[in-house]
């Protein structure tokens, strides 16, 4: 932005401020401030334009203070009492603030009296977030908010507000923290030391007008971009949801494998069945423009999982042994285990209703409850505190150890004594290959397979586990559970925002079971496609980082 040589230089402003401050001190209206050292050449991050000057906050301000240091007594209505949560960087909000009495306000007001045009600055949390006092309504401040009073005839509040939000001030906050200040706190004594580039008053006005104009354009662009992203995601979801809709009888009768050619080098070869080939072809043709965001790739991954457990992802083979025969063998084995006393007989669950069958199954598949194909399904338990340690014993899992649908035991790992086998802990022993799921949210649906790092594991009561009688079923059970399809029909307990799944409901989960051979093909194909989606995400992230670096370089060069 061009400077005007006719502007009165900032040095004149600083002389006026210094003279006015001296007069206020002489009249006893302002305390004499301790002078700070002049700004060294090393402290100056860039050369200022002609007519500008460097200065510190204490040289430019009448007062730098903060709000009351104790928590006052709140009342239902009265004078607003503001903390950092009520300051968003643009305005002071009274929508969710606390209230204090007029007497308390007047007491606080003697030390800290925010007025129209003053600058408020967050000292805790989002350091340096500044807001102009844009109201004449009286209010009081908590200690977390700093109050800065400037000489508004020489320094525009709008200009100062933009300086406080600039990278120049953000760098100073970082340097203050690096110098030993509390990580999330800006000490009151640090604020007067902050240095500010002071522009001529006429140029301040031009800067404020230009920045407001550009910010308005940026806001419009952001709104347009958000609308575009939302529309893009809606398009992706609409096209992918079409793959999940019921197909005509003619289509579902034909289950031949189809390999689609890539529409581009980035698209996936999804071997969908004939029932969805036309819908997938439409997606594949526009792959490069559809899957350009992390959210769209996540939606694609979710669709792949749902296609997998609906029998629409891989070829059916009429020579595969039907799932019904597998289930008959499992039922026979389970009956024998009951007879031998190796598992306890549990209360039988009701037959699967038509409402629980979410879609029509391919030939050779069967609907079954997880309880029918697993050993006794139960949740974990919590032993006494003295039985825990951080180094040896049986690894003990909590919900936070399930991350990205895998066991992350080394995230806050705990062990429980291996010789401590109460009845509760014995019933919740986990072995490699068991499938675990959190039943306490949010969020629900965190799933993992127990790895073979340790021969034996245990878990708390927020986790339920499934151990199939036929171990080879575990990978498909895991795939079905991470698809989240079962959450569409399961009845939750608890309150909104804290939904839970009971152990009984976990036993009752209905699963569409393919032939064993097809399960292996499904799991292998899902793993392959998920890996490709992850690679696509990495390429997307790399491209975004490159674009960001390029933008930074261009902006830096322009400055």
């Amino acid at each position: 932005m061009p400077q005007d040589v006719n502007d009165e230089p900032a040095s004149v402003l600083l002389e006026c401020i210094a003279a006015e401050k001296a007069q206020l001190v002489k009249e006893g209206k302002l305390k004499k401030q301790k002078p700070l050292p002049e700004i060294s050449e090393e402290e100056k991050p860039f050369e200022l334009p002609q007519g500008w000057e460097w200065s510190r906050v204490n040289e430019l301000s009448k007062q730098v203070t903060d709000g009351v240091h104790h928590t006052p007594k709140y009342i239902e209505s009265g004078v607003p009492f503001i903390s950092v949560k009520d300051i968003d960087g643009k305005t002071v909000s009274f929508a969710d603030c606390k209230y204090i009495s007029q007497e308390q306000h007047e007491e606080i007001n003697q030390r800290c009296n925010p007025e129209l045009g003053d600058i408020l600055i967050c000292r805790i949390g989002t350091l340096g977030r500044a807001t102009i006092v844009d109201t004449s309504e009286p209010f009081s401040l908590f200690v977390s908010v700093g109050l800065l009073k400037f000489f508004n005839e020489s320094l525009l509040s709008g200009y100062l507000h933009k300086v406080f939000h600039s990278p120049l001030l953000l760098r100073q906050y970082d340097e203050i923290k690096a110098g030993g200040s509390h990580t999330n706190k800006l000490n009151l004594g640090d604020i007067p030391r902050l240095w500010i580039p002071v522009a001529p008053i006429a140029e301040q006005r031009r800067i404020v007008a230009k920045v407001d104009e550009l910010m308005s354009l940026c806001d419009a662009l952001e709104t347009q971009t958000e609308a575009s992203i939302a529309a893009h995601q809606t398009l992706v979801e609409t096209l992918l949801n079409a793959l999940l809709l019921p197909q005509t009888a003619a289509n579902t009768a034909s289950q031949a494998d189809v390999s689609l050619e890539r529409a581009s080098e980035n698209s996936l070869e999804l071997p969908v069945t004939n029932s969805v080939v036309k819908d997938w072809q439409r997606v594949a043709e526009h792959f490069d423009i559809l899957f350009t965001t992390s959210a769209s790739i996540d939606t694609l991954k979710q669709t792949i999982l749902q296609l997998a457990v609906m029998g629409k992802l891989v070829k059916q083979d009429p020579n595969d042994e039907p799932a019904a025969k597998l289930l008959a063998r499992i039922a026979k084995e389970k009956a024998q285990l009951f007879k031998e006393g190796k598992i306890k007989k549990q209360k039988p669950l009701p037959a699967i209703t038509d409402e629980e069958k979410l879609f029509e199954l391919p030939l050779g598949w069967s609907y079954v409850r997880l309880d029918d194909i697993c050993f006794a399904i139960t949740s974990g338990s919590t032993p006494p505190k003295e039985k825990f340690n951080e180094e040896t014993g049986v690894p003990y899992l909590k919900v936070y150890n399930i991350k990205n649908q895998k066991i992350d035991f080394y995230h806050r790992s705990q062990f429980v004594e291996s010789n401590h086998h109460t009845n509760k802990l014995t019933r919740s022993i986990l072995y490699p290959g068991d499938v675990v799921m959190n039943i306490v949210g949010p969020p629900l649906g965190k799933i993992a397979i127990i790895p073979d790092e340790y021969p034996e594991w245990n878990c708390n009561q927020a986790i339920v586990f499934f151990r199939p009688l036929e171990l080879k079923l575990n990978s498909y059970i895991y795939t079905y559970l991470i698809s989240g399809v079962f959450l569409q029909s399961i009845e939750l307990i608890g309150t909104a925002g804290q939904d839970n799944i009971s152990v009984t409901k976990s036993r009752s989960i209905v699963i569409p079971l393919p032939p064993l051979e097809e399960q292996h093909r499904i799991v292998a194909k899902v793993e392959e496609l998920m890996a490709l989606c992850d690679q696509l995400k990495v390429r997307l992230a790399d491209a975004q980082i490159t674009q960001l670096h390029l933008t930074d370089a261009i902006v830096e060069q322009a400055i």
Side-chain angles (χ1 to χ4, degrees):
M1 184 173 175
Q3 279 75 50
D4 188 336
V5 293
N6 297 314
D7 288 343
E8 181 180 73
S11 58
V12 176
L13 301 183
L14 297 183
E15 289 172 2
C16 292
I17 290 173
E20 188 173 351
K21 286 185 75 170
Q23 183 61 34
L24 291 173
V25 171
K26 185 177 179 180
E27 296 172 359
K29 296 179 180 179
L30 192 66
K31 289 184 179 180
K32 190 171 183 178
Q33 297 170 317
K34 184 179 179 180
L36 293 173
E38 291 186 6
I39 301 170
S40 66
E41 291 299 321
E42 291 74 21
E43 290 180 291
K44 299 175 182 178
F46 51 83
E47 185 177 349
L48 290 177
Q50 186 176 1
W52 290 46
E53 296 288 340
W54 287 107
S55 187
R56 294 191 190 272
V57 167
N58 77 317
E59 296 169 343
L60 303 172
S61 61
K62 299 177 185 177
Q63 184 184 25
V64 176
T65 187
D66 54 13
V68 63
H69 285 228
H70 65 271
T71 303
K73 184 178 180 180
Y74 299 130
I75 57 178
E76 286 200 10
S77 63
V79 180
F81 184 75
I82 302 301
S83 65
V84 291
K85 69 177 179 61
D86 305 305
I87 297 173
D88 63 6
K90 295 181 179 178
T91 186
V92 180
S93 172
F94 299 141
D96 298 313
C97 71
K98 306 287 186 181
Y99 294 92
I100 60 175
S101 67
Q102 181 66 31
E103 292 74 19
Q104 286 181 298
H105 167 67
E106 289 175 358
E107 180 183 346
I108 298 170
N109 194 45
Q110 295 175 8
R111 174 175 174 270
C112 180
N113 178 29
E115 298 174 298
L116 192 67
D118 289 346
I119 299 288
L120 303 180
I121 187 168
C122 295
R123 300 201 306 107
I124 296 174
T126 306
L127 299 187
R129 185 173 58 205
T131 295
I132 302 173
V133 177
D134 57 356
T135 177
S136 298
E137 181 178 348
F139 62 94
S140 286
L141 299 173
F142 191 47
V143 63
S144 58
V145 181
L147 172 66
L148 284 66
K149 290 180 175 291
F150 290 93
F151 293 85
N152 293 336
E153 297 79 11
S154 302
L155 293 164
L156 299 181
S157 296
Y159 174 75
L160 291 169
H161 179 257
K162 289 162 178 56
V163 171
F164 275 105
H165 281 274
S166 69
L168 172 65
L169 269 292
L170 296 177
R171 282 199 297 269
Q172 292 186 67
Y173 301 143
D174 289 340
E175 289 170 4
I176 288 169
K177 289 190 292 183
S181 181
H182 190 282
T183 303
N184 294 313
K185 183 177 179 182
L186 183 62
N187 291 326
L188 187 63
D190 291 325
I191 297 175
R193 305 179 65 87
L194 298 172
W195 27 271
I196 289 176
V198 181
I201 188 70
E203 189 165 353
Q204 290 180 38
R205 295 191 183 97
R206 295 196 299 272
I207 288 171
V208 170
K210 178 56 69 174
V211 171
D212 286 344
E213 176 190 350
L214 294 176
M215 287 299 114
S216 178
L217 291 173
C218 288
D219 289 342
L221 179 60
E222 183 179 20
T223 300
Q224 183 180 2
T225 301
E226 288 175 353
S228 176
I229 291 173
H232 175 271
Q233 184 64 14
T234 299
L235 175 62
V236 169
E237 291 174 0
T238 300
L239 290 174
L240 292 179
N241 284 341
L243 302 175
L244 306 174
L245 296 175
Q247 307 296 318
T248 62
N251 279 340
T252 52
S254 175
Q255 298 288 345
D257 185 47
V258 177
S259 280
L260 299 175
E261 292 192 7
R262 297 191 183 196
S264 74
E265 62 178 12
N266 292 325
S267 67
L268 303 184
E269 292 181 10
L270 193 61
V272 291
T273 58
N274 273 349
S275 60
V276 292
V277 62
K278 290 183 180 178
D279 291 318
W280 173 250
Q281 186 67 53
R282 185 167 48 182
V283 172
E285 286 173 356
H286 305 288
F287 197 93
D288 282 343
I289 60 174
L290 287 174
F291 302 103
T292 56
T293 65
S294 180
S296 62
I297 298 172
D298 286 339
T299 303
L300 175 60
K301 293 173 76 171
Q302 190 60 35
T303 302
I304 289 169
L305 287 169
Q306 290 187 266
L307 288 172
V309 300
M310 293 173 72
K312 295 183 176 184
L313 189 62
V314 301
K315 177 183 178 181
Q316 276 76 52
D317 188 338
N319 297 316
D320 290 342
E321 179 188 70
K325 289 191 176 181
L326 172 64
L327 293 175
R329 288 200 305 274
I330 290 174
K332 184 177 180 181
E333 181 182 352
K334 198 165 189 178
Q336 183 62 32
L337 292 171
F338 286 144
K339 185 177 179 180
E340 295 173 359
K342 293 181 179 179
I343 58 174
K344 291 183 178 180
K345 197 162 188 176
Q346 294 179 293
K347 184 178 179 180
L349 296 171
I352 298 172
T353 64
D354 288 339
E355 289 74 20
E356 291 177 288
K357 299 174 181 178
L358 298 178
F359 43 82
E360 185 178 348
L361 294 181
L363 190 66
W365 289 45
S366 296
Y367 273 115
V368 65
R369 296 195 189 278
L370 279 177
D371 190 64
D372 296 328
I373 57 176
C374 293
F375 287 89
I377 296 172
T378 186
S379 62
S381 56
T382 301
K385 289 183 179 179
E386 61 269 17
K387 301 300 179 181
F388 285 104
N389 69 80
E390 296 182 359
E391 296 182 356
T392 60
V394 176
Y396 185 82
L397 302 176
K398 294 186 177 181
V399 173
Y400 55 64
N401 294 121
I402 306 175
K403 295 179 65 178
N404 300 320
Q405 310 297 30
K406 294 180 181 180
I407 295 296
D408 182 6
F409 179 58
Y410 299 103
H411 174 69
R412 297 163 67 182
S413 59
Q414 277 186 313
F415 293 85
V416 66
E417 287 184 10
S418 57
N419 60 351
H420 182 64
H421 288 291
T422 64
N423 289 335
K424 284 186 176 180
L425 279 177
T426 300
R427 74 174 174 79
S428 59
I429 294 174
L430 301 172
Y431 298 109
D434 289 350
V435 181
V436 294
M437 176 181 76
N438 72 308
I439 56 174
V440 176
L444 296 172
K446 296 176 72 174
I447 319 293
I449 294 179
I450 298 297
D452 57 5
E453 295 174 62
Y454 295 89
E456 183 179 303
W457 302 67
N458 219 295
C459 64
N460 72 358
Q461 59 271 23
I463 295 174
V464 72
F465 61 93
F466 309 95
R467 182 177 303 138
L469 282 97
E470 174 66 59
L471 184 59
K472 294 178 181 178
L473 296 176
N474 67 343
S475 293
Y476 178 76
I477 291 174
Y478 167 81
T479 301
Y480 177 70
L481 292 176
I482 64 172
S483 76
V485 172
F486 72 98
L487 291 172
Q488 299 173 23
S489 57
I490 197 166
E491 183 180 347
L492 304 177
I493 60 176
T495 57
Q498 188 62 49
D499 291 329
N500 303 331
I501 303 173
S502 69
V503 174
T504 299
K505 292 299 180 183
S506 300
R507 293 174 55 212
S508 303
I509 291 174
V510 175
I511 178 171
L513 196 70
L516 191 57
E517 293 83 356
E518 188 173 346
Q519 290 180 37
H520 299 330
R521 296 196 297 273
I522 288 172
V523 169
K525 181 53 67 176
V526 166
E527 290 177 349
E528 175 191 343
L529 294 176
M530 290 296 151
L532 291 173
C533 286
D534 289 339
Q535 291 173 19
L536 188 59
K537 264 193 171 184
V538 169
R539 290 201 297 270
L540 175 63
D542 289 344
Q544 289 172 337
I545 290 172
T546 301
Q547 185 178 19
L548 183 61
H549 288 167
L550 178 60
T551 302
D552 288 344
I554 292 172
V555 171
E556 184 176 348
Q557 184 66 32
I559 292 175

